[in-house]
């Protein structure tokens, strides 16, 4: 039976994962764009991304684009799997209503 | 960890909303922008060709094409910074090569069949563009490959059956189809 994931259950982290798993497996998203998409502050997003990165659910890629530092974020295969299981668990709970 | 069915429902709704927002945001990227802008350029250009005199037509085409290229480049570059993929460079090279080859083949076809009327040359160019769009759809795995086939059939129908309204027909058919498809991708993806 699928289980809820406590790390992903947090509302901001849930939305981060929902946004990232929407992308293709080889795509990564810019930090600034993600911040605007989620409507959160830099600090708030950074803190939640660290949690997800520590759990191995996302990968953070710090790089330079046109000589400017940029941070790109993507969902890992493990993160995609855990998110799928979390959604399945939610659907199971909903069916029991 | 336990939550109530109502909480589960709220959480699922939040996920759906985020997925929809992300898709809508990304759908405003490359493909749809290029289709909408190219469609507007073609619609304006061919409508001008139908109703205006030659010098004005050339000016309208140049202005529309230059403005269209600038708008598509700015919007495309903005989106490319948001979401990136290691395959983007490879795809861009494949697309550039495809269009370069098509331009050469189209020029060869025009040279072989020369002299041509403006209408004949336009139909030939549009058919090559449709082949290019079809190939791009197959190359990039879009679910939007189908649209080029009915548009090509209608282009031929207008070419042979409505010569007096030919350029207006091309503007509405090809330009309109690109605009509608671009908006469809934005709204449905």
């Amino acid at each position: 039976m699928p289980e809820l994931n406590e790390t992903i259950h947090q509302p901001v982290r849930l939305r981060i994962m929902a946004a990232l798993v929407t992308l293709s497996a080889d795509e990564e998203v810019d930090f600034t764009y993600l911040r605007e998409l989620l409507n959160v502050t830099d600090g708030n997003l950074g803190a939640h991304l660290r949690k997800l990165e520590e759990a191995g659910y996302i990968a953070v890629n710090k790089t330079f684009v046109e000589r400017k530092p940029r941070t790109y974020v993507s969902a890992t295969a493990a993160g995609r799997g855990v998110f799928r299981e979390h959604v399945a668990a939610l659907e199971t709970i909903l069916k029991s209503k | 960890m336990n939550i109530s069915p109502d909480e589960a429902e709220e959480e699922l709704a939040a996920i759906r909303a985020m997925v929809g927002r992300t898709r809508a945001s990304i759908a405003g990227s490359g493909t749809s922008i290029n289709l909408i802008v190219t469609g507007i350029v073609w619609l304006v250009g061919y409508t001008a060709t139908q109703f205006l005199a030659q010098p004005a037509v050339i000016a309208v085409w140049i202005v529309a094409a230059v403005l269209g290229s600038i708008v598509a480049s700015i919007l495309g570059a903005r989106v490319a910074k948001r979401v990136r993929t290691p395959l983007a460079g490879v795809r861009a090279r494949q697309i550039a090569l495809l269009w370069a080859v098509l331009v050469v083949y189209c020029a060869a076809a025009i040279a072989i069949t020369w002299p041509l009327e403006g209408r004949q040359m336009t139909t030939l160019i549009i058919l090559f563009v449709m082949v290019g769009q079809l190939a791009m759809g197959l190359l990039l795995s879009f679910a939007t490959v189908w649209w080029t086939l009915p548009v090509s059939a209608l282009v031929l129908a207008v070419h042979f059956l409505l010569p007096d309204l030919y350029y207006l027909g091309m503007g509405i058919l090809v330009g309109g189809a690109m605009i509608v498809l671009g908006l469809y991708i934005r709204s449905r993806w």
Side-chain angles (χ1 to χ4, degrees):
Chain A
M1 185 171 166
E3 286 186 12
L4 291 172
N5 182 295
E6 281 197 45
T7 308
I8 291 179
H9 180 62
Q10 199 282 336
V12 176
R13 290 198 286 271
L14 181 83
R15 294 199 301 140
I16 292 171
M17 289 306 295
L20 294 181
V21 300
T22 307
L23 305 173
S24 303
D26 63 345
E27 286 179 331
E28 50 186 9
V29 68
D30 178 39
F31 179 94
T32 314
Y33 168 63
L34 191 59
R35 185 195 63 201
E36 286 165 12
L37 196 66
L38 296 162
N39 200 19
V40 291
T41 62
D42 275 357
N44 195 2
L45 179 58
H48 287 300
L49 289 180
R50 264 193 300 281
K51 284 247 181 199
L52 290 167
E53 190 183 16
E54 282 164 14
Y57 299 160
I58 64 163
V60 177
N61 175 15
K62 291 177 189 290
T63 185
F64 283 86
V65 176
E66 293 164 5
R67 282 186 254 173
K68 288 178 189 162
R70 277 191 176 268
T71 301
Y72 286 92
V73 187
S74 59
T76 62
R80 287 173 185 272
V82 165
F83 185 79
R84 266 197 304 272
E85 193 178 336
H86 186 79
V87 171
L90 290 172
E91 284 167 347
T92 306
I93 294 167
L94 187 59
K95 277 177 197 160
S96 70
K97 194 175 179 179
Chain B
M1 184 181 175
N2 289 316
I3 62 169
S4 70
D6 287 340
E7 284 173 308
E9 193 170 13
E10 276 175 28
E11 207 165 309
L12 283 168
I15 290 169
R16 275 194 294 273
M18 199 62 228
V19 168
R21 203 169 163 199
T22 307
R23 283 182 170 173
S25 168
I26 297 168
S29 65
T31 310
S32 63
I33 288 172
N34 275 320
L35 279 169
I36 292 168
V37 172
T38 309
I40 291 170
V41 170
W42 283 44
L43 182 61
V44 170
Y46 281 123
T47 305
T49 309
Q50 177 75 46
F51 294 110
L52 300 179
Q54 187 77 354
V57 168
I58 292 168
V60 168
W61 269 109
I62 290 170
V63 170
V66 169
L67 280 180
S69 302
I70 291 169
V71 170
S73 301
I74 291 170
L75 294 177
R78 204 182 68 177
V79 171
K81 282 181 187 165
R82 290 175 176 173
V83 179
R84 63 178 204 167
T85 162
L87 287 175
V90 177
R91 280 182 188 159
R93 278 194 293 278
Q94 287 173 330
I95 291 168
L97 183 65
L98 166 74
W99 284 104
V101 168
L102 273 175
V103 167
V104 172
Y105 273 78
C106 185
I110 290 170
I112 290 165
T113 50
W114 195 262
L116 293 171
E117 286 176 18
R119 204 162 52 87
Q120 290 172 314
M121 195 159 76
T122 303
T123 301
L124 206 54
I125 291 169
I126 288 173
L127 290 178
F128 269 95
V129 169
M130 290 297 111
V131 170
Q133 293 286 353
L134 181 70
M136 256 178 59
L138 294 171
L139 187 71
L140 302 175
S141 305
F142 293 153
T144 50
V145 173
W146 56 269
W147 74 279
T148 55
L149 301 175
V151 169
S152 299
L154 287 169
V155 164
L156 288 172
V158 173
H159 177 92
F160 290 112
L161 303 175
L162 294 169
D164 294 340
L165 293 172
Y166 174 77
Y167 291 108
L168 182 62
M170 292 306 105
I172 293 169
L173 266 178
V174 185
M178 285 181 179
I179 294 168
V180 168
L181 182 65
L183 293 173
Y184 172 80
I185 290 172
R186 279 182 77 96
S187 66
R188 294 298 296 273
W189 192 83

